Amino acid sequence: DAGVTQSPTHLIKTRGQQVTLRCSPKSGHDTVSWYQQALGQGPQFIFQYYEEEERQRGNFPDRFSGHQFPNYSSELNVNALLLGDSALYLCASSLEQGNTIYFGEGSWLTVV
Amino acid sequence: DAKTTQPTSMDCAEGRAANLPCNHSTISGNEYVYWYRQIHSQGPQYIIHGLKNNETNEMASLIITEDRKSSTLILPHATLRDTAVYYCIVIVYNAGGTSYGKLTFGQGTILTVHP
């Protein structure tokens, strides 16, 4: 049973560019959340998707957007990249009626 | 969600029990205590959670005080691979799912296991 998988593992982008990160939830999970973790900090909640809609959102600007597909996989898009967007981006999945959240290994984004 | 307080760092000898405390004095009746750990450069790993009863699984034990204002995560026989940042998180479990899933991470406790 595959856990939460994310791609790509590492990537480097230039300021002003756009990036798309991808996540496949754990088998059977229908809810996907995204987190940003800057170096030396704990993960910060970006948003959560359920039934292809954004259900909750943390304190992140509109440059951060997402999407959930009918197969529950999800994408995180960040536009107009800033140097401060350099971080580990984590995807987490759960069952809407469940009580445990599982994380992927993350995508390391470096903005230069 | 209730705020949690954890020591910044702790040390433990390999093979000994590691006891990681967490204070959550403002916890409310419908809030669960969750523990995650994060090994360097990896995603957070779920360890255990509980409401008011003590819990045990293959990874650890969770002891919650009777007043629920604090808890302790116990790794019974720590190994070098248990060196990680341990996060104690308190969240409301809403069966409708509207608030569940938003984990608020603090700074956690850096546990270092020594040979």
Side-chain angles (χ1 to χ4, degrees):
Chain A
D1 175 25
V4 181
T5 59
Q6 294 186 242
S7 63
T9 307
H10 297 81
L11 72 166
I12 300 173
K13 290 286 189 178
T14 304
R15 273 183 302 173
Q17 285 188 317
Q18 179 263 347
V19 68
T20 297
L21 308 177
R22 296 175 176 81
C23 172
S24 292
K26 186 176 171 64
S27 178
H29 283 188
D30 55 11
T31 302
V32 173
S33 301
W34 286 91
Y35 291 76
Q36 179 196 66
Q37 186 172 22
L39 208 58
Q41 304 294 317
Q44 300 295 308
F45 177 81
I46 303 175
F47 43 52
Q48 182 186 79
Y49 277 83
Y50 173 67
E51 291 189 338
E52 303 180 48
E53 290 191 358
E54 183 181 297
R55 184 162 67 176
Q56 296 187 75
R57 189 178 184 91
N59 188 25
F60 279 81
D62 292 344
R63 298 187 297 110
F64 290 78
S65 63
H67 189 76
Q68 185 180 34
F69 299 94
N71 66 353
Y72 306 129
S73 66
S74 177
E75 288 181 350
L76 165 66
N77 300 292
V78 186
N79 294 322
L81 285 168
L82 305 173
L83 295 179
D85 294 331
S86 295
L88 176 65
Y89 288 85
L90 295 160
C91 174
S93 76
S94 58
L95 277 171
E96 201 272 346
Q97 294 295 329
N99 60 8
T100 304
I101 300 171
Y102 294 93
F103 284 83
E105 292 303 320
S107 294
W108 283 98
L109 171 65
T110 301
V111 182
V112 297
Chain B
D1 297 331
K3 179 179 171 60
T4 62
T5 304
Q6 299 177 252
T8 302
S9 63
M10 295 183 65
D11 290 336
C12 178
E14 190 177 21
R16 303 296 294 272
N19 298 281
L20 291 88
C22 179
N23 181 286
H24 32 79
S25 58
T26 60
I27 194 170
S28 59
N30 63 345
E31 289 185 309
Y32 283 69
V33 180
Y34 278 74
W35 283 84
Y36 282 80
R37 73 180 182 184
Q38 189 171 25
I39 297 170
H40 183 62
S41 300
Q42 297 181 18
Q45 177 187 24
Y46 166 79
I47 302 174
I48 199 167
H49 74 277
L51 181 62
K52 55 183 178 181
N53 297 319
N54 297 337
E55 302 288 345
T56 296
N57 63 20
E58 64 280 2
M59 288 184 67
S61 295
L62 174 61
I63 308 298
I64 302 174
T65 58
E66 191 170 345
D67 63 6
R68 301 187 69 239
K69 293 184 177 182
S70 66
S71 61
T72 301
L73 177 74
I74 301 172
L75 308 178
H77 305 287
T79 70
L80 299 179
R81 289 178 296 180
D82 292 322
T83 293
V85 179
Y86 287 77
Y87 296 100
C88 169
I89 302 168
V90 171
I91 62 171
V92 173
Y93 171 52
N94 183 328
T98 55
S99 61
Y100 184 71
K102 180 182 177 181
L103 299 175
T104 301
F105 288 82
Q107 291 302 308
T109 296
I110 301 172
L111 174 68
T112 303
V113 181
H114 297 286

